[in-house]
Amino acid sequence: MFDSTQYGFSQAVVSTGRNHIFLSGQVAANADQSLHSTGMYEQSTQCFKSIERLLAEVPASLSDVTMLRLYIRADASNEHSQNEIARALHEAFGEELPATSWILVSGLADSRWLIEIEAQAVTG
């Protein structure tokens, strides 16, 4: 993960009480912020891998994820890309699919990013 504190946000926050974990939006960027992949399936899969790595630090796992928000670049949204996102979701979560909002946006912080995914999880 790149150091997001330079941009004024944390990659993950754990609330007190029952553990509520809030992850900032994850994109298909490497630790040096270079683009990991260019296709929708590959970028979605990379987002889920980053979410899984962040959750492991808490500790938690993908099975603890209760909510996802997918920000999808509108000009990259079509039936094929939506199927690719769904494929990545099923591969990451299997039968235990979290609640999810799919939100079309005009753009993301880097024009090469097709999707950004936020996650919330609950443990304990």
Side-chain angles (χ1 to χ4, degrees):
M1 300 298 140
F2 70 93
D3 178 13
S4 63
T5 58
Q6 64 185 319
Y7 299 113
F9 66 93
S10 298
Q11 293 286 357
V13 176
V14 178
S15 65
T16 59
R18 236 177 114 90
N19 293 323
H20 293 264
I21 304 147
F22 301 89
L23 302 184
S24 290
Q26 299 301 306
V27 296
N30 293 318
D32 66 359
Q33 298 184 44
S34 63
L35 186 64
H36 184 271
S37 53
T38 58
M40 185 63 81
Y41 170 76
E42 294 81 8
Q43 286 198 18
S44 299
T45 299
Q46 181 59 40
C47 291
F48 293 128
K49 287 178 182 176
S50 295
I51 289 168
E52 187 172 35
R53 279 195 304 269
L54 282 168
L55 289 171
E57 292 179 22
V58 174
S61 68
L62 288 176
S63 65
D64 297 311
V65 173
T66 58
M67 180 68 191
L68 295 171
R69 274 173 297 287
L70 284 61
Y71 299 95
I72 304 158
R73 223 176 62 204
D75 64 348
S77 180
N78 56 50
E79 185 176 351
H80 176 73
S81 67
Q82 291 170 4
N83 289 336
E84 295 291 271
I85 294 167
R87 182 174 131 204
L89 278 161
H90 285 284
E91 288 176 5
F93 294 96
E95 298 294 317
E96 301 287 327
L97 295 169
T100 305
S101 294
W102 295 42
I103 304 154
L104 295 182
V105 296
S106 60
L108 297 167
D110 185 311
S111 63
R112 299 170 298 165
W113 299 341
L114 304 176
I115 189 166
E116 181 172 338
I117 303 175
E118 291 180 359
Q120 288 177 242
V122 178
T123 61

